């Protein structure tokens, strides 16, 4: 059994941390793991994609079109962009419905596509929530990534304690409490 | 104990375990995290050097003095250190000497897609190439061992997906490697013609010994699956190939990228019906095979461009189409990288665009000044090129053109290789205006200190390079320091300086908005005075957008820098403190 999880978002939204949490979780479950990250220029507010693959033995760290079991999307347009990567029939998308305008929209060259979530739902199974709003309620919109992970976690058969342990070991000390709160808001959403 | 580690972290761990004593580097994606991880090991002296050439020379010195040492850089950094590289091949080493060099196929964060394997061949040195983090650590250790055994500097070739993928690594203890004795030996370490003539012969003998070594090394692995199809591959391509082809082919995985074996490849291909060479970028292995009369299929079916994928390999080797996937029914806007909200460079580029100047640009976050909607930058070539290029433009097009021309360069890039350009301008009676975009940090690679910040890699206070004193000593008489968010003054200063028939230096000084020490508060809001002139949208700030004809500021993205307040002609933007 190999699982492919793709995490997409906008540079600065915390996709790196999310992929590290998932990677460490998979290790705690005894799997072979590969996590692919993005650094440098592409992090500056552009589209970012990270991958987490786990299973008995993982070779390539990449996920190609039609291969992702799960896509965690931190932004609506990025969810839409990633749709071709989702496995047809069985793939699930977990989407933060927040919308962030990309530069071609800001400069008026193009429009932000309408009804994205509806369009994705016509094709694939979707779990949607406004994790940015929830994170803001917690006092820090930056923990929207962990809220989304919580929403993802409630659909999996992995004990709550494992998640908490991994979050504690992955996030910086001073943010542990915030992130555990964020995770719980996600799991109860 | 097994730990999930980036390839770069594993290289650092390998250095630690191999008893390395010194690492000197210049940051560059995708290599930066090697040295950032080295910082965590107190047993290793480490530093950010001003550029890759100095980093390499520092590591060379440490090696000659008897220590295992390393310099790390991205592929284009290898160009900067090419000069010492070709000669340290002649001198050889004392303590093991390794250069970690990360290529960037697909150009995730680079200005070109060069294949660094050519350097190993040209300099006649050894090059190892790991596929994942476990190998990254093991090959790093092996590289030091081989460097000492064959008296050769070794390049550890990484690529983006090896450097930036995490996989499991078995942690081991640090070896206690003593400093080797330092014995003065000018015939080995003084490369003047009389000595170099003798050393070249030794290089050729060493090359022969290395070619023998690679025929039998355990770093090159044959994996036989009783197939009639063979695949010769290395590095990340091996993982893609294995994912795509599984047990359906035989593999020859090359852990040594140079020298390449001949006889063991020939033996591997015996009895096979088809042999594919799978390698990203240039046909390096393929040409080696063909030159030696070994029939292989390479770039006839694989592209010379960008990264490979398992699906691409499956199609080319087995003829299997990729799985069907969802298609989008409409074109959607792309999301290119942008300068962050609060970026100090935004003010400078706003003024440069307004004045319609030709801008000779450089490498850093501010390269994004070439993108929409700002589009102020005309050229970007390599680290430090902005000043020399502007000087050349001015020399051939004269003073009228020069009145509309500036070079822009970041603080770290200026120290890296811009200083010599500025000396050239002054020495050769140039008239170029240079703007140093001083954001108090090396930004694009994720906040590394540099000589202008006054701190070392370990955050110890040190002498701070004073750009004004430096410029004065070069002979620049027109020096101004401006705040790039004071748009009126910045415009005035630039207009004055470009008119002068002498070199000018403008230091546009404001720290990177992402620095922890920068504390903007509140956020900007658009008030009902807004006439929708869209001038603020021209800033290209990711926080300001046009929602169905209404200009809005996203408070989650805005960091309260207030630059937009200075741009609005109707005073329709105000600041709200929370």
């Amino acid at each position: 059994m190999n699982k492919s999880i793709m995490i997409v978002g906008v540079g600065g939204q915390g996709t790196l941390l999310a992929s590290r949490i998932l990677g460490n979780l998979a290790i705690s479950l005894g799997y072979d793991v590969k996590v692919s990250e993005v650094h440098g220029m592409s992090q500056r507010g552009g589209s970012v994609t990270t991958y987490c693959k786990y299973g008995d033995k993982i070779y390539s760290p990449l996920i190609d079109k039609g291969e992702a079991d799960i896509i965690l999307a931190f932004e609506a347009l990025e969810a839409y962009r990633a749709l071709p990567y989702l496995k047809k029939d069985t793939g699930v998308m977990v989407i933060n419905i927040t919308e962030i305008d990309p530069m071609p929209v800001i400069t008026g060259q193009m429009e932000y596509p309408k009804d994205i979530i509806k369009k994705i739902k016509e094709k694939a199974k979707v779990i949607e929530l406004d994790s940015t709003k929830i994170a803001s309620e917690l006092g820090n919109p930056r923990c929207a990534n962990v809220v989304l992970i919580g929403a993802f976690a409630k659909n999996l058969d992995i004990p709550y304690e494992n998640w908490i342990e991994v979050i504690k070991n992955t996030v910086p000390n001073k943010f542990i409490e915030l992130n555990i709160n964020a995770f719980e808001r996600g799991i109860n959403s | 104990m097994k730990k999930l580690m980036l390839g770069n972290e594993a290289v650092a761990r390998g250095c630690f375990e191999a008893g390395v004593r010194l690492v000197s580097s210049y940051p560059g994606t995708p290599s930066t995290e090697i040295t950032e991880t080295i910082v965590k090991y107190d047993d290793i002296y480490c530093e950010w050097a001003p550029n890759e050439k100095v980093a390499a020379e520092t590591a060379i010195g440490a090696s000659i003095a008897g220590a295992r040492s390393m310099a790390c850089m991205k592929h284009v950094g290898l160009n900067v250190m090419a000069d010492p590289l070709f000669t340290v091949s002649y001198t050889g080493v004392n303590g093991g000497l390794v250069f970690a060099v990360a290529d960037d196929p697909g150009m995730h964060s680079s200005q070109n897609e060069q294949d660094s394997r050519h350097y190993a061949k040209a300099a006649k040195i050894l090059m190892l190439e790991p596929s994942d983090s476990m190998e990254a650590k093991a090959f790093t250790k092996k590289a030091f061992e081989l460097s000492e055994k064959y008296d050769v500097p070794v390049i550890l070739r990484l690529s983006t997906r090896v450097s930036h993928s995490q996989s499991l690594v078995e942690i081991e203890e640090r070896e206690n490697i003593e400093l080797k004795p330092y014995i003065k030996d000018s015939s080995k370490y003084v490369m003047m013609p009389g000595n170099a003539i003798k050393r070249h012969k030794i290089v050729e003998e060493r090359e022969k010994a290395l070619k023998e070594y690679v025929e039998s090394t355990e770093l090159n692995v044959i994996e036989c699956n009783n197939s009639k199809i063979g695949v010769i591959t290395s590095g990340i391509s091996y993982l893609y190939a294995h994912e795509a082809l599984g047990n359906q082919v035989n593999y020859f995985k090359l852990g040594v990228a140079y020298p390449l074996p001949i006889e063991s490849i020939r033996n591997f291909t015996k009895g096979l019906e088809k042999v594919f060479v799978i390698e990203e970028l240039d046909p390096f292995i393929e040409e080696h095979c063909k030159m030696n009369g070994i029939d292989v299929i390479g770039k006839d079916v694989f592209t010379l461009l960008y990264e490979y994928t398992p699906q691409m390999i499956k199609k080319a080797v087995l003829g299997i189409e990729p799985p069907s996937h969802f298609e989008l029914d409409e074109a959607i806007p792309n999301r290119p990288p942008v300068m962050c909200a609060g970026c100090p460079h935004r003010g400078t580029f706003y003024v440069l665009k307004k004045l319609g100047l030709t801008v000779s640009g450089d490498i850093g976050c501010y390269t994004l000044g070439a993108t929409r909607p700002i589009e102020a930058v005309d050229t970007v070539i390599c680290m430090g090129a902005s000043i020399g290029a502007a000087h050349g433009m001015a020399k051939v097009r004269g003073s009228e053109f020069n009145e509309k021309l500036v070079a822009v360069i970041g603080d770290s890039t200026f120290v890296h290789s811009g200083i010599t350009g500025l000396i050239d301008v002054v020495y050769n009676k140039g008239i170029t205006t240079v703007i140093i975009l001083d954001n108090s940090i090396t930004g694009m690679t994720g906040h590394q200190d540099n000589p202008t910040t006054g701190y070392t890699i370990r955050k110890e206070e040190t002498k701070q390079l004073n750009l004004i004193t430096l410029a004065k000593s070069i002979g620049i008489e027109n020096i101004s320091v401006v705040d790039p968010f004071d748009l009126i003054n910045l415009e005035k200063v630039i207009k004055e300086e470009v008119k002068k028939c002498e070199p000018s230096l403008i230091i546009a000084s404001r720290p990177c908005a992402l620095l922890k020490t920068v504390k903007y508060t509140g956020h900007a809001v658009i008030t009902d005075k807004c006439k929708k002139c869209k001038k603020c949208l021209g800033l290209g700030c990711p926080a300001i957008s046009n929602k169905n004809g209404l200009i809005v500021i996203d408070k989650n993205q805005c960091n309260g820098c207030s630059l937009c307040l200075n741009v609005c002609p109707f005073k329709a933007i105000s600041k709200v403190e929370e």
Side-chain angles (χ1 to χ4, degrees):
Chain A
M1 180 232 62
N2 284 355
K3 281 274 178 201
S4 296
I5 305 173
M6 188 163 160
I7 303 167
V8 299
V10 179
Q13 279 192 307
T15 53
L16 259 179
L17 179 75
S19 59
R20 287 182 172 188
I21 289 175
L22 296 177
N24 285 329
L25 182 82
I27 295 184
S28 78
L29 300 170
Y31 292 113
D32 185 27
V33 182
K34 284 220 163 83
V35 177
S36 184
E37 306 185 342
V38 175
H39 297 255
M41 182 176 269
S42 25
Q43 267 185 308
R44 296 277 171 271
S47 298
V48 285
T49 304
T50 60
Y51 311 103
C52 173
K53 292 170 79 174
Y54 62 91
D56 302 327
K57 173 75 189 163
I58 303 296
Y59 286 94
S60 163
L62 302 186
I63 297 171
D64 215 330
K65 284 181 179 161
E67 290 181 352
D69 294 292
I70 294 148
I71 295 178
L72 287 182
F74 289 10
E75 196 270 348
L77 175 60
E78 295 313 309
Y80 199 27
R81 193 190 313 285
L83 184 62
Y85 289 82
L86 196 66
K87 232 180 223 173
K88 270 189 162 179
D89 307 326
T90 57
V92 181
M93 265 211 186
V94 187
I95 305 174
N96 176 12
I97 57 168
T98 196
E99 294 184 358
I100 301 173
D101 285 348
M103 204 42 72
V105 173
I106 289 175
T107 56
Q109 289 164 268
M110 285 186 87
E111 281 190 19
Y112 195 99
K114 293 191 171 51
D115 303 319
I116 285 178
I117 307 296
K118 198 178 127 207
K119 288 173 193 163
I120 298 175
K121 275 183 167 172
E122 283 166 10
K123 300 187 174 177
K125 190 179 170 202
V126 171
I127 299 164
E128 59 181 284
L129 73 159
D130 192 340
S131 63
T132 301
K133 192 173 155 214
I134 295 171
S136 300
E137 287 165 15
L138 289 169
N140 192 339
R142 293 198 172 277
C143 67
N145 53 356
V146 180
V147 175
L148 201 71
I149 286 183
F152 162 64
K154 74 174 171 187
N155 292 282
L156 295 182
D157 247 358
I158 297 166
Y160 172 82
E161 294 72 28
N162 285 41
W163 286 102
I164 298 299
E165 190 62 30
V166 164
I167 290 170
K168 278 183 183 167
N169 292 334
T170 313
V171 307
N173 274 342
K174 58 177 177 179
F175 295 118
I176 289 179
E177 199 186 321
L178 173 73
N179 280 292
I180 289 179
N181 288 340
F183 180 77
E184 287 182 345
R185 283 294 299 272
I187 216 165
N188 296 319
S189 64
Chain B
M1 187 186 68
K2 276 196 174 177
K3 239 186 114 184
L4 197 57
M5 275 188 172
L6 281 178
N8 282 346
E9 290 171 329
V11 171
R13 181 73 203 181
C15 281
F16 172 75
E17 291 176 9
V20 167
R21 284 170 189 262
L22 177 140
V23 175
S24 182
S25 309
Y26 186 80
T29 314
S31 71
T32 313
E33 299 78 16
I34 303 173
T35 312
E36 287 185 325
T37 307
I38 293 282
V39 175
K40 295 173 189 161
Y41 300 115
D42 291 337
D43 300 302
I44 304 175
Y45 168 79
C46 65
E47 62 175 34
W48 290 128
N51 65 32
E52 295 84 355
K53 180 173 181 285
V54 177
E57 289 154 351
T58 303
I60 290 168
S63 161
I64 293 172
R68 288 191 166 185
S69 55
M70 184 185 243
C72 311
M73 66 212 71
K74 67 184 295 175
H75 59 321
V76 286
L78 182 55
N79 305 337
V80 178
M81 68 151 281
D83 194 0
L85 179 76
F86 280 76
T87 303
V88 78
S89 168
Y90 277 37
T91 66
V93 307
N94 186 17
L97 177 62
V98 178
F99 303 116
V101 177
D103 281 2
D104 190 14
M107 293 169 281
H108 294 270
S109 205
S110 302
Q111 68 270 36
N112 76 29
E113 202 173 21
Q114 76 189 37
D115 189 329
S116 295
R117 293 178 295 177
H118 299 291
Y119 271 98
K121 188 177 182 186
K124 305 188 178 193
I125 60 173
L126 186 63
M127 179 183 260
L128 307 188
E129 186 177 19
S131 292
D132 62 11
S133 301
M134 189 69 210
E135 283 188 356
K137 183 171 83 81
F139 284 23
T140 301
K141 292 167 83 171
K142 190 75 187 172
F144 283 103
E145 191 192 310
L146 292 170
S147 171
E148 287 170 0
K149 184 174 174 193
Y150 288 94
D151 194 8
V152 64
V154 180
I155 294 180
L156 185 76
R157 186 205 186 208
L158 304 159
S159 64
T160 302
R161 298 297 181 181
V162 174
S163 286
H164 287 162
S165 291
Q166 296 191 62
S167 56
L168 291 169
V169 178
E170 187 78 47
I171 304 296
E172 294 159 289
E173 294 299 314
R174 179 171 168 94
E175 277 175 76
N176 186 23
I177 305 280
E178 295 293 324
L179 274 179
K180 292 195 164 185
Y182 173 71
I183 299 156
K184 180 168 172 163
D185 182 356
S186 56
S187 66
K188 187 170 189 298
Y189 296 117
V190 179
M191 280 306 97
M192 53 187 179
N195 293 335
I197 283 168
K198 291 172 197 143
R199 290 299 303 180
H200 187 187
K201 207 172 149 199
I202 293 169
V203 168
E204 297 304 336
E205 283 161 12
R206 181 185 68 200
E207 184 88 337
K208 267 188 213 155
L210 287 172
K211 283 179 177 167
E212 243 167 70
Y213 165 73
V214 297
E215 295 292 352
S216 61
T217 172
E218 75 281 9
L219 296 173
N220 294 336
V221 180
I222 289 177
E223 198 181 314
C224 183
N225 292 309
N226 298 317
S227 172
K228 289 284 168 202
I229 303 173
V231 164
I232 305 171
T233 182
S234 68
I236 193 71
S237 301
Y238 165 73
L239 296 180
Y240 297 157
H242 212 294
E243 173 102 9
L245 311 171
N247 297 334
Q248 299 181 65
V249 300
N250 297 348
Y251 298 92
F252 196 164
K253 176 186 179 299
L254 297 165
V256 182
Y258 187 82
L260 292 165
I262 300 166
E263 287 319 310
S264 38
I265 290 180
R266 209 185 299 282
N267 287 337
F268 170 75
T269 58
K270 267 184 198 152
L272 295 175
E273 283 166 9
K274 268 185 186 175
V275 179
F276 291 88
V277 173
I278 304 179
E279 55 187 329
E280 287 178 332
L281 306 180
D282 293 345
F284 190 77
I285 304 170
E286 179 187 348
E287 283 176 358
H288 169 78
C289 292
K290 288 184 170 165
M291 200 177 71
N292 287 289
I294 302 167
D295 188 24
V296 294
I297 305 162
K299 298 298 174 188
D300 294 342
V301 296
F302 291 107
T303 173
L304 289 157
L305 305 174
Y306 322 136
E307 294 187 286
Y308 287 5
T309 66
Q311 287 186 5
M312 175 197 285
I313 293 170
K314 204 177 226 172
K315 174 127 199 308
V317 176
L318 302 176
I320 297 176
E321 293 293 330
S324 77
H325 58 78
F326 295 120
E327 304 276 357
L328 299 185
D329 306 323
E330 61 192 307
I332 61 171
N334 63 359
R335 190 186 300 273
V338 291
M339 284 189 271
C340 308
C343 178
H345 306 323
R346 182 169 283 113
T348 308
F349 284 121
Y350 181 79
V351 171
L352 293 176
K353 184 178 187 183
K354 184 176 170 194
L355 297 176
L357 300 186
T358 298
V359 177
S360 178
D362 223 299
I363 305 278
C365 291
Y366 49 91
T367 307
L368 294 170
T371 58
R372 283 190 182 214
I374 291 175
E375 295 175 294
V377 175
D378 290 59
T379 64
V380 173
I381 312 296
C382 67
M383 291 286 286
S386 56
I387 301 176
H391 176 59
M393 284 176 166
K395 283 288 177 191
V396 296
R397 299 204 74 98
S399 60
E400 202 176 315
F401 188 83
N402 189 67
E403 283 181 21
K404 285 281 191 188
L405 170 69
V406 292
V408 297
I409 183 166
D411 48 328
S412 186
T413 308
F414 177 69
V415 177
H416 177 282
S417 46
I419 296 172
T420 41
L422 195 58
I423 292 171
D424 186 42
V425 171
V426 177
Y427 169 57
N428 288 308
K429 301 179 178 181
I431 49 175
T432 301
T433 297
V434 175
I435 304 177
I436 297 181
L437 304 166
D438 181 7
N439 65 346
S440 316
I441 202 76
T442 311
M444 179 60 88
T445 44
H447 288 174
Q448 291 75 29
D449 279 289
N450 66 55
T452 70
T453 69
Y455 292 92
T456 69
I457 192 169
R458 292 195 192 273
K459 289 285 170 202
E460 294 152 348
E461 272 187 55
T462 183
K463 294 267 188 194
Q464 184 173 15
L465 175 66
N466 185 319
L467 294 172
I468 297 169
T469 320
L470 175 79
K472 277 185 186 161
S473 70
I474 287 174
I476 298 208
E477 284 166 18
N478 308 299
I479 302 170
S480 11
V481 180
V482 293
D483 175 357
F485 278 10
D486 182 350
L487 299 175
I488 293 167
N489 184 45
L490 178 65
E491 183 175 334
K492 179 174 153 274
V493 170
I494 293 175
K495 274 178 165 167
E496 283 168 8
E497 296 305 323
V498 290
K499 281 220 176 73
K500 291 181 181 165
C501 286
E502 295 175 337
S504 299
L505 182 70
I506 301 169
I507 302 172
S509 178
R510 182 174 270 258
C512 171
L514 301 182
L515 282 172
K516 285 190 182 117
T517 47
V518 174
K519 300 220 182 297
Y520 295 120
T521 57
H523 62 90
V525 288
I526 309 276
T527 66
D528 52 14
K529 287 188 208 157
C530 175
K531 308 268 189 225
K532 301 183 180 59
C533 72
K534 299 180 182 168
K535 231 176 173 171
C536 55
L537 289 175
L539 284 170
C541 176
I544 312 175
S545 58
N546 180 353
K547 293 270 184 210
N548 305 319
L550 208 62
I551 312 299
V552 292
I553 293 177
D554 177 352
K555 75 170 195 178
N556 284 334
Q557 293 219 53
C558 174
N559 66 354
C561 82
S562 302
L563 177 65
C564 53
L565 275 69
N566 300 343
V567 169
C568 179
F570 304 104
K571 303 265 174 271
I573 307 179
S574 62
K575 184 87 173 284
V576 180
E577 297 296 335
E578 284 163 44

